[in-house]
Amino acid sequence: MTTPDESLARIGARLREELFDFLRIPSVSARSEHREDVRRAADWVGRHLRATGFETEVVDTPGHPVVLGEWKKAGPGAPTLLIYGHYDVQPAEPLDLWTSPPFEPEIRDGRLYARGATDDKGQLYLHLKALELLMGSEGRLPVNVVVVAEGEEEIGSPSLLPFLRDYRDRLDCDAVIISDSQMFAPGVPSLLSSLRGLAYVEIHVQGARSDLHSGAYGGAVPNAATVLARLLASLHDADGRVAIPGFYDRVAHWDAEARAAIGGLPFDEEGFREETGAPGLQGEAGYGTLERLWIRPTCEVNGLLSGYTGEGAKTVLPARAMAKVSFRLVPDQDPDEIPALLRRHLQAVAPPQVRVEVRELHHGRPWRGAPEGPVFEAARRALTRSFGREPVLTGEGGSIPIVSDFEKVLGAPVLLLGFGLPGSNLHAPDEWFPDAHLEKGIETLLYLYEELEG
Ligand code: BES
Ligand code: MN
Ligand code: MN
């Protein structure tokens, strides 16, 4: 069998050139002006899979396409892996904070900078390349493989669940593998066992019909900005807990053993604080930082809009105020229930002199997986071989909403195998992927296929 080194040597510089081509496509799913770019990225993935020998369809949806690639010639009794990734990216703004332009990939100091370098085009690419190299050297794969690449992950995957249902038969698999997360630390590979869910809303406050002179009306007419500030302040108590009645009712408690495992990880808390640049860390009383990130739910204000924010002073009484608020959820919280709980709470605390409205944006279910089974064990061995140490079992504070749907609809376990590094600026300016992990990631995946063959 060809070794990973030999296979990688054979493609040489093409490894980076092709990834750069992929990253140059500004596949921003949230922006309608990028609709054609998103499609170009889908076609790029489709072409790659076809050239590798996969039967490939770029499936239209009401939103952005889903790319479906199938190679099912491993023979009777061979297991099937489903590889999922997303080829869409977050908007790159604010552009002036990027050291090099987001869609002009550049390697500096061992880091490959571009929007999507880690989340998730770079990591999806590792899978595409591993498949291509295997097919190139062996002419076949040791297992059946289905690839599902979507273009709407960053907007909540609205078309993917209907796709999973419509294409259910062709997606039958023994395990789902996703590389859309990070390693615990440099040199410390990880397998993920949990993700938080998400419920995202907007809170709108309306007082007067329109903005008013803050001297002529202020003091007698409700100020929407002030009211909104009070509402937002009511969402937490002094211990950093979410103060919405019922919010914790379904929260599953991690047992002492699971908490001890988290406590035993080599976490550099001061390094984490330093990475954020904040003078200090804070959160729910009674929990450590990793627990606050992985196993406890949160409520975060993501954006605020009200009144005058331009240059200089303007004496105005805002009629309207809006906050974007998202909740990170843990098992067994139900994202569908959260907006109702929030509405009830706001009704109880909002003054009757304003109108308050909660509008729902997207949802995603939390997930906790069982870290076991043959594919999990194969991944553990593959990571150990390529990184020279056993992976740690970690959680993740972020969300990949489709993960719990995969488990439910396909009845297959999901394995999250990330090659990004902490601090790689996902969704932020100067997103990067560790350049050396292109080879490391592909090597790991090649070992994984070897381990699956047994
Ligand atoms: N890949 C991320 C999720 C993630 C973030 C995993 C950090 C591991 C570490 C994914 O693309 C993402 O950004 N998800 C969104 C949710 C989505 C509905 C917009 C998130 O977590 O905010
Ligand atoms: Mn992602
Ligand atoms: Mn993302």
Side-chain angles (χ1 to χ4, degrees), residues 84 86 119 123 150 153 157 176-183 190-199 251-252 254 262 290-298 327-335 363-371 393-407 413-418 426:
Y84 161 85
H86 63 94
D119 188 9
Q123 298 202 70
E150 73 156 318
E153 197 278 341
S157 303
V176 177
I177 297 199
I178 303 177
S179 296
D180 188 21
S181 54
Q182 308 180 340
M183 298 188 0
S190 351
L191 287 164
L192 269 190
S193 64
S194 68
L195 289 164
R196 288 195 290 191
L198 186 66
V251 170
W254 258 245
I262 293 174
L290 289 180
E291 292 177 323
R292 289 169 176 172
L293 293 171
W294 296 349
I295 69 171
R296 299 298 294 168
T298 64
F327 299 85
R328 292 287 167 172
L329 307 175
V330 300
D332 300 308
Q333 284 177 297
D334 181 348
H363 302 177
R365 276 174 207 289
W367 170 78
R368 190 177 184 189
L393 203 58
T394 62
E396 177 53 62
S399 309
I400 309 178
I402 203 64
V403 167
S404 77
D405 296 318
F406 271 130
E407 277 196 348
V414 180
L415 190 80
L416 288 133
L417 180 62
L426 307 188

Coordinates of all heavy atoms in Angstrom, one line a residue, residues 84 86 119 123 150 153 157 176-183 190-199 251-252 254 262 290-298 327-335 363-371 393-407 413-418 426:
Y84 N -19.7 14.5 6.0 CA -20.4 15.8 5.9 C -19.5 16.9 6.1 O -18.6 16.9 6.9 CB -21.5 15.8 6.9 CG -22.1 17.2 7.1 CD1 -23.0 17.8 6.3 CD2 -21.5 18.0 8.2 CE1 -23.5 19.1 6.5 CE2 -22.0 19.3 8.4 CZ -23.0 19.8 7.5 OH -23.4 21.1 7.7
H86 N -19.3 21.6 5.1 CA -20.0 22.7 4.5 C -19.0 23.6 3.7 O -17.9 23.8 4.2 CB -20.9 23.5 5.5 CG -20.1 24.2 6.6 ND1 -19.7 25.5 6.5 CD2 -19.8 23.8 7.8 CE1 -19.2 25.9 7.6 NE2 -19.2 24.9 8.4
D119 N -13.1 26.8 8.8 CA -14.6 26.6 8.9 C -15.3 26.9 7.6 O -15.6 28.0 7.3 CB -15.1 27.6 10.0 CG -16.5 27.4 10.4 OD1 -17.1 26.4 9.9 OD2 -17.1 28.3 11.1
Q123 N -11.2 22.1 5.9 CA -11.4 20.8 6.5 C -12.2 19.8 5.6 O -11.9 18.6 5.5 CB -12.0 20.9 7.9 CG -11.2 21.7 8.9 CD -11.5 21.4 10.3 OE1 -11.2 20.3 10.8 NE2 -12.1 22.3 11.0
E150 N -22.9 20.8 2.2 CA -24.0 21.7 2.1 C -23.4 23.2 2.0 O -22.3 23.4 2.4 CB -25.0 21.6 3.2 CG -24.5 22.1 4.5 CD -25.6 22.4 5.5 OE1 -26.6 23.1 5.0 OE2 -25.5 22.1 6.7
E153 N -24.8 25.8 6.1 CA -24.5 25.5 7.5 C -24.5 26.8 8.3 O -25.1 26.9 9.4 CB -23.2 24.8 7.7 CG -23.1 24.1 9.0 CD -22.6 25.0 10.1 OE1 -22.0 26.1 9.9 OE2 -22.8 24.6 11.3
S157 N -28.7 25.7 8.2 CA -29.0 24.5 7.4 C -30.5 24.3 7.1 O -31.1 23.2 7.3 CB -28.5 23.2 8.2 OG -27.2 23.3 8.4
V176 N -21.3 8.7 10.5 CA -21.1 10.0 9.9 C -19.8 10.6 10.4 O -19.5 10.6 11.6 CB -22.3 10.9 10.2 CG1 -22.1 12.3 9.6 CG2 -23.6 10.3 9.7
I177 N -19.0 11.1 9.5 CA -17.7 11.7 9.9 C -17.7 13.2 9.5 O -18.0 13.5 8.4 CB -16.5 11.0 9.3 CG1 -16.4 9.6 9.8 CG2 -15.2 11.8 9.7 CD1 -15.1 8.9 9.7
I178 N -17.4 14.0 10.5 CA -17.4 15.5 10.2 C -16.1 16.1 10.7 O -15.7 15.9 11.9 CB -18.6 16.2 11.0 CG1 -19.9 15.5 10.6 CG2 -18.6 17.7 10.7 CD1 -21.1 16.1 11.3
S179 N -15.5 16.9 9.9 CA -14.3 17.7 10.3 C -14.7 19.1 10.2 O -14.5 19.8 9.2 CB -13.1 17.4 9.5 OG -12.7 16.0 9.6
D180 N -15.3 19.6 11.3 CA -15.7 21.0 11.3 C -15.6 21.6 12.7 O -16.3 22.4 13.2 CB -17.2 21.1 10.9 CG -17.7 22.5 10.7 OD1 -16.8 23.4 10.5 OD2 -18.9 22.8 10.7
S181 N -14.5 21.1 13.4 CA -14.2 21.5 14.8 C -12.7 21.6 15.0 O -12.0 21.6 14.0 CB -14.9 20.5 15.7 OG -14.4 19.2 15.4
Q182 N -12.3 21.7 16.2 CA -10.9 22.0 16.5 C -10.3 20.9 17.4 O -11.0 20.2 18.1 CB -10.8 23.4 17.2 CG -11.6 24.4 16.4 CD -11.5 25.8 17.1 OE1 -11.2 25.9 18.3 NE2 -11.8 26.8 16.4
M183 N -9.0 20.9 17.4 CA -8.3 20.1 18.3 C -8.3 20.8 19.7 O -8.5 22.0 19.7 CB -6.8 19.9 17.8 CG -6.8 19.1 16.5 SD -5.2 18.6 15.9 CE -4.0 19.0 17.1
S190 N -8.2 15.6 19.1 CA -9.4 15.4 19.9 C -10.5 14.7 19.1 O -10.6 14.9 17.9 CB -9.9 16.7 20.5 OG -9.0 17.7 20.3
L191 N -11.3 14.0 19.9 CA -12.6 13.5 19.3 C -13.7 14.2 20.2 O -13.5 14.3 21.4 CB -12.6 12.0 19.4 CG -11.7 11.3 18.4 CD1 -11.5 9.8 18.8 CD2 -12.3 11.4 17.0
L192 N -14.7 14.7 19.5 CA -15.7 15.4 20.2 C -16.8 14.5 20.7 O -17.3 13.6 19.9 CB -16.4 16.4 19.2 CG -15.8 17.8 19.1 CD1 -16.7 18.7 18.3 CD2 -15.6 18.4 20.5
S193 N -17.3 14.8 21.9 CA -18.5 14.0 22.3 C -19.7 14.9 22.6 O -20.7 14.3 23.0 CB -18.1 13.2 23.6 OG -17.8 14.1 24.6
S194 N -19.6 16.2 22.5 CA -20.8 17.0 22.6 C -20.7 18.3 21.9 O -19.6 18.8 21.7 CB -21.1 17.2 24.1 OG -20.1 18.1 24.7
L195 N -21.8 18.8 21.5 CA -21.9 20.2 20.9 C -23.1 20.8 21.6 O -24.1 20.2 21.9 CB -22.3 20.0 19.4 CG -21.3 19.5 18.4 CD1 -22.0 19.1 17.1 CD2 -20.2 20.6 18.1
R196 N -23.0 22.2 21.7 CA -24.2 22.8 22.2 C -25.2 23.1 21.0 O -24.8 23.2 19.9 CB -23.8 24.1 22.9 CG -23.1 23.8 24.2 CD -23.0 25.1 25.1 NE -22.1 26.0 24.6 CZ -21.7 27.1 25.3 NH1 -22.2 27.3 26.6 NH2 -20.8 28.0 24.8
G197 N -26.5 23.3 21.4 CA -27.5 23.7 20.5 C -27.6 25.2 20.5 O -26.9 25.9 21.1
L198 N -28.6 25.7 19.8 CA -28.8 27.1 19.6 C -30.2 27.5 19.4 O -31.0 26.8 18.7 CB -28.0 27.5 18.3 CG -27.8 28.9 17.9 CD1 -26.9 29.7 19.0 CD2 -27.1 29.0 16.6
A199 N -30.6 28.6 20.0 CA -31.9 29.2 19.7 C -31.6 30.7 19.6 O -31.1 31.3 20.5 CB -32.9 29.0 20.8
V251 N -32.3 20.8 31.5 CA -30.8 20.6 31.4 C -30.4 19.3 32.1 O -30.6 19.1 33.2 CB -30.1 21.8 32.1 CG1 -28.6 21.6 32.2 CG2 -30.4 23.1 31.3
A252 N -29.7 18.5 31.3 CA -29.2 17.2 31.8 C -27.9 17.5 32.6 O -27.1 18.4 32.1 CB -28.9 16.3 30.6
W254 N -24.3 16.6 33.9 CA -23.2 15.7 33.7 C -22.8 15.0 35.0 O -22.7 15.8 36.0 CB -22.0 16.5 33.1 CG -21.8 16.4 31.6 CD1 -20.7 15.8 31.0 CD2 -22.6 16.9 30.6 NE1 -20.8 15.9 29.7 CE2 -21.9 16.6 29.3 CE3 -23.8 17.5 30.5 CZ2 -22.4 16.9 28.1 CZ3 -24.3 17.9 29.2 CH2 -23.7 17.6 28.1
I262 N -13.5 16.2 32.3 CA -13.2 17.6 31.8 C -12.2 18.3 32.7 O -11.2 18.9 32.2 CB -14.6 18.4 31.8 CG1 -15.5 17.8 30.8 CG2 -14.3 19.9 31.5 CD1 -16.9 18.4 30.8
L290 N -14.2 25.3 31.1 CA -14.5 24.3 30.1 C -16.0 23.9 30.3 O -16.7 23.6 29.3 CB -13.6 23.1 30.1 CG -12.2 23.4 29.6 CD1 -11.3 22.1 29.6 CD2 -12.2 23.9 28.1
E291 N -16.4 23.7 31.5 CA -17.8 23.3 31.8 C -18.7 24.4 31.3 O -19.8 24.1 30.7 CB -18.0 23.0 33.3 CG -17.2 21.8 33.8 CD -17.4 21.6 35.3 OE1 -17.4 22.6 36.0 OE2 -17.5 20.4 35.6
R292 N -18.4 25.7 31.6 CA -19.2 26.8 31.1 C -19.4 26.8 29.6 O -20.4 27.2 29.1 CB -18.6 28.1 31.6 CG -18.7 28.3 33.1 CD -17.9 29.5 33.5 NE -18.0 29.9 34.9 CZ -17.3 30.8 35.5 NH1 -16.4 31.4 34.8 NH2 -17.5 31.0 36.8
L293 N -18.3 26.3 28.9 CA -18.3 26.3 27.5 C -19.0 25.1 26.9 O -19.6 25.2 25.8 CB -16.9 26.4 26.9 CG -16.1 27.6 27.2 CD1 -14.6 27.4 26.8 CD2 -16.7 28.8 26.4
W294 N -18.9 24.0 27.6 CA -19.3 22.7 26.9 C -20.6 22.1 27.5 O -21.4 21.5 26.7 CB -18.2 21.6 27.1 CG -16.9 21.9 26.4 CD1 -16.7 22.9 25.5 CD2 -15.7 21.2 26.6 NE1 -15.4 22.9 25.1 CE2 -14.7 21.8 25.8 CE3 -15.3 20.1 27.4 CZ2 -13.4 21.4 25.7 CZ3 -14.0 19.7 27.3 CH2 -13.1 20.3 26.5
I295 N -20.8 22.3 28.8 CA -22.0 21.5 29.3 C -23.0 22.4 30.0 O -24.0 21.9 30.6 CB -21.5 20.4 30.4 CG1 -20.9 21.1 31.6 CG2 -20.4 19.5 29.7 CD1 -20.6 20.1 32.7
R296 N -22.8 23.7 29.9 CA -23.8 24.6 30.5 C -24.4 25.5 29.5 O -23.7 25.9 28.5 CB -23.2 25.5 31.6 CG -22.7 24.6 32.8 CD -23.7 23.8 33.5 NE -24.7 24.7 34.2 CZ -25.9 24.2 34.7 NH1 -26.2 22.9 34.5 NH2 -26.7 25.0 35.3
P297 N -25.7 25.8 29.6 CA -26.3 26.7 28.6 C -26.1 28.1 28.9 O -25.7 28.5 30.0 CB -27.8 26.3 28.7 CG -28.0 26.0 30.2 CD -26.7 25.3 30.6
T298 N -26.2 29.0 27.8 CA -26.0 30.4 28.0 C -27.0 31.2 27.3 O -27.8 30.7 26.5 CB -24.6 30.8 27.4 OG1 -24.7 30.6 26.0 CG2 -23.4 30.1 27.9
F327 N -29.2 31.8 22.5 CA -29.0 30.9 23.6 C -28.3 29.7 23.1 O -28.7 29.1 22.1 CB -30.4 30.4 24.1 CG -31.3 31.6 24.6 CD1 -32.1 32.3 23.7 CD2 -31.3 31.9 26.0 CE1 -32.8 33.4 24.2 CE2 -32.1 33.0 26.4 CZ -32.8 33.7 25.5
R328 N -27.2 29.3 23.8 CA -26.5 28.1 23.6 C -27.2 27.0 24.5 O -27.3 27.3 25.7 CB -25.0 28.1 23.8 CG -24.3 29.0 22.9 CD -24.1 28.4 21.5 NE -23.7 29.4 20.5 CZ -23.3 29.2 19.3 NH1 -23.4 28.0 18.8 NH2 -23.0 30.2 18.5
L329 N -27.5 25.9 24.0 CA -28.3 24.9 24.7 C -27.6 23.6 24.9 O -26.7 23.3 24.1 CB -29.6 24.7 24.0 CG -30.4 26.0 23.6 CD1 -31.6 25.6 22.8 CD2 -30.8 26.7 24.9
V330 N -27.9 22.9 25.9 CA -27.2 21.6 26.2 C -28.3 20.6 26.3 O -29.5 20.9 26.5 CB -26.4 21.7 27.5 CG1 -25.3 22.7 27.4 CG2 -27.3 21.9 28.7
P331 N -28.0 19.3 26.1 CA -29.0 18.2 26.2 C -29.6 18.4 27.6 O -29.0 18.7 28.6 CB -28.2 16.9 26.2 CG -26.9 17.3 25.4 CD -26.6 18.7 25.8
D332 N -30.9 18.2 27.8 CA -32.0 17.8 26.8 C -32.9 19.1 26.5 O -34.1 18.9 26.4 CB -32.8 16.7 27.3 CG -32.0 15.4 27.6 OD1 -31.2 15.0 26.7 OD2 -32.0 14.9 28.7
Q333 N -32.2 20.2 26.5 CA -33.1 21.4 26.2 C -33.6 21.4 24.8 O -32.9 20.8 23.9 CB -32.2 22.7 26.4 CG -32.0 23.1 27.8 CD -31.1 24.3 27.9 OE1 -29.9 24.3 27.5 NE2 -31.6 25.4 28.5
D334 N -34.8 21.9 24.6 CA -35.4 21.9 23.3 C -35.5 23.3 22.7 O -36.1 24.2 23.3 CB -36.9 21.3 23.5 CG -37.6 21.2 22.2 OD1 -37.1 21.8 21.2 OD2 -38.7 20.6 22.2
P335 N -34.7 23.5 21.6 CA -34.7 24.9 21.1 C -36.0 25.5 20.8 O -36.2 26.7 20.8 CB -33.8 24.8 19.8 CG -33.5 23.3 19.6 CD -33.9 22.6 20.9
H363 N -32.7 27.7 14.8 CA -32.6 26.8 15.9 C -31.6 25.7 15.6 O -31.5 25.3 14.5 CB -33.9 26.1 16.2 CG -35.0 26.9 16.5 ND1 -36.3 26.3 16.6 CD2 -35.2 28.2 16.6 CE1 -37.1 27.3 16.9 NE2 -36.5 28.4 16.8
G364 N -31.0 25.1 16.6 CA -30.3 23.8 16.4 C -30.3 23.1 17.7 O -30.2 23.6 18.8
R365 N -30.4 21.8 17.6 CA -30.4 20.9 18.8 C -29.1 20.7 19.3 O -28.1 20.5 18.6 CB -31.1 19.6 18.4 CG -32.5 19.6 18.5 CD -33.3 18.4 18.1 NE -34.6 18.9 17.6 CZ -35.5 19.3 18.5 NH1 -35.3 19.3 19.8 NH2 -36.6 19.8 18.0
P366 N -29.0 20.6 20.7 CA -27.7 20.2 21.3 C -27.5 18.7 21.0 O -28.4 18.0 20.6 CB -27.9 20.4 22.8 CG -29.4 20.4 23.0 CD -30.0 20.8 21.7
W367 N -26.2 18.2 21.2 CA -25.9 16.8 20.9 C -24.9 16.3 21.9 O -24.0 17.0 22.3 CB -25.3 16.8 19.5 CG -24.7 15.4 19.1 CD1 -25.4 14.3 18.7 CD2 -23.3 15.1 19.1 NE1 -24.5 13.3 18.5 CE2 -23.2 13.8 18.7 CE3 -22.1 15.8 19.4 CZ2 -22.0 13.1 18.6 CZ3 -20.9 15.2 19.2 CH2 -20.8 13.8 18.8
R368 N -25.1 15.1 22.3 CA -24.1 14.4 23.1 C -24.0 13.0 22.5 O -25.0 12.3 22.4 CB -24.5 14.3 24.6 CG -23.3 13.8 25.4 CD -23.7 13.8 26.9 NE -22.5 13.4 27.7 CZ -22.5 13.2 29.0 NH1 -23.6 13.3 29.6 NH2 -21.4 12.8 29.6
G369 N -22.8 12.6 22.1 CA -22.6 11.3 21.4 C -22.0 10.3 22.4 O -21.5 10.6 23.4
A370 N -22.1 9.1 22.0 CA -21.5 8.0 22.7 C -20.2 7.7 22.1 O -20.1 7.2 20.9 CB -22.4 6.7 22.7
P371 N -19.1 8.0 22.7 CA -17.7 7.8 22.1 C -17.3 6.4 22.1 O -16.5 6.0 22.9 CB -16.8 8.7 23.0 CG -17.6 8.8 24.3 CD -19.0 8.5 24.1
L393 N -10.9 13.3 24.7 CA -12.3 13.4 24.4 C -12.7 14.8 24.9 O -12.6 15.1 26.1 CB -13.0 12.3 25.2 CG -14.4 11.9 24.7 CD1 -14.2 11.4 23.2 CD2 -14.9 10.8 25.5
T394 N -13.3 15.6 24.0 CA -13.6 17.0 24.4 C -15.1 17.3 24.1 O -15.8 16.5 23.4 CB -12.7 18.0 23.7 OG1 -13.0 17.9 22.3 CG2 -11.3 17.7 24.0
G395 N -15.6 18.4 24.6 CA -16.8 18.9 24.2 C -16.6 20.1 23.3 O -15.4 20.5 23.0
E396 N -17.6 20.8 22.9 CA -17.5 22.0 22.1 C -18.7 22.9 22.4 O -19.8 22.5 22.6 CB -17.5 21.6 20.6 CG -17.5 22.7 19.7 CD -16.3 23.7 19.9 OE1 -15.1 23.2 19.9 OE2 -16.5 24.8 20.3
G397 N -18.3 24.2 22.5 CA -19.4 25.2 22.8 C -20.2 25.6 21.6 O -21.3 26.1 21.7
G398 N -19.6 25.5 20.4 CA -20.3 25.8 19.2 C -21.3 24.8 18.8 O -21.5 23.8 19.5
S399 N -22.0 25.1 17.7 CA -23.1 24.3 17.3 C -23.0 23.8 15.8 O -22.5 24.6 15.0 CB -24.4 25.1 17.4 OG -24.5 25.6 18.7
I400 N -23.3 22.6 15.6 CA -23.5 22.1 14.2 C -24.9 21.4 14.2 O -25.0 20.3 14.5 CB -22.4 21.1 13.8 CG1 -21.0 21.7 14.1 CG2 -22.5 20.8 12.3 CD1 -19.8 20.8 13.8
P401 N -25.9 22.3 13.9 CA -27.3 21.8 14.2 C -27.7 20.5 13.5 O -28.5 19.8 14.0 CB -28.1 23.0 13.6 CG -27.2 24.2 13.6 CD -25.8 23.7 13.4
I402 N -27.0 20.2 12.4 CA -27.5 19.0 11.7 C -27.0 17.7 12.3 O -27.5 16.6 12.0 CB -27.0 19.1 10.2 CG1 -27.9 18.2 9.3 CG2 -25.6 18.7 10.1 CD1 -29.4 18.6 9.2
V403 N -26.1 17.8 13.3 CA -25.5 16.6 13.8 C -26.6 15.7 14.5 O -26.6 14.5 14.3 CB -24.4 16.9 14.8 CG1 -24.0 15.7 15.7 CG2 -23.1 17.4 14.0
S404 N -27.4 16.3 15.3 CA -28.4 15.5 16.0 C -29.5 14.9 15.0 O -30.0 13.9 15.2 CB -29.1 16.2 17.1 OG -30.0 17.1 16.7
D405 N -29.7 15.7 13.9 CA -30.6 15.2 12.9 C -30.0 14.0 12.1 O -30.7 13.1 11.8 CB -30.9 16.3 11.8 CG -31.7 17.4 12.5 OD1 -32.6 17.2 13.3 OD2 -31.4 18.6 12.2
F406 N -28.7 14.1 11.9 CA -28.0 12.9 11.3 C -28.3 11.7 12.1 O -28.7 10.6 11.6 CB -26.5 13.1 11.2 CG -26.1 13.8 9.9 CD1 -25.2 14.9 10.0 CD2 -26.5 13.4 8.7 CE1 -24.8 15.5 8.8 CE2 -26.0 14.0 7.5 CZ -25.2 15.1 7.6
E407 N -28.1 11.8 13.4 CA -28.3 10.6 14.3 C -29.7 10.1 14.2 O -30.0 8.9 14.1 CB -27.9 10.9 15.7 CG -26.4 10.8 15.9 CD -26.0 10.8 17.4 OE1 -26.8 11.0 18.2 OE2 -24.8 10.5 17.6
P413 N -24.1 6.7 14.2 CA -23.4 7.6 15.1 C -22.6 8.6 14.4 O -22.2 8.4 13.2 CB -22.4 6.6 15.8 CG -22.3 5.4 14.9 CD -23.6 5.3 14.2
V414 N -22.3 9.8 15.0 CA -21.6 10.8 14.4 C -20.2 11.0 15.1 O -20.2 11.0 16.3 CB -22.4 12.2 14.5 CG1 -21.6 13.3 13.8 CG2 -23.7 12.0 13.8
L415 N -19.2 11.1 14.2 CA -17.9 11.2 14.8 C -17.3 12.6 14.3 O -17.3 12.9 13.2 CB -17.0 10.1 14.1 CG -15.7 9.9 14.7 CD1 -15.8 9.1 16.0 CD2 -14.8 9.2 13.7
L416 N -16.9 13.4 15.3 CA -16.4 14.7 15.0 C -14.9 14.8 15.2 O -14.4 14.6 16.4 CB -17.1 15.8 15.8 CG -18.6 16.0 15.4 CD1 -19.5 16.0 16.5 CD2 -18.7 17.3 14.6
L417 N -14.2 15.0 14.1 CA -12.8 14.8 14.1 C -12.2 16.1 13.5 O -12.2 16.3 12.3 CB -12.6 13.6 13.1 CG -11.2 13.1 12.8 CD1 -10.6 12.6 14.1 CD2 -11.3 11.9 11.8
G418 N -11.8 17.0 14.4 CA -11.4 18.3 13.9 C -9.9 18.5 13.8 O -9.2 18.0 14.6
L426 N -12.3 31.7 13.8 CA -13.5 31.3 13.1 C -14.5 32.5 13.2 O -14.7 33.1 14.2 CB -14.2 30.1 13.7 CG -13.4 28.9 14.0 CD1 -14.3 27.7 14.5 CD2 -12.6 28.5 12.7

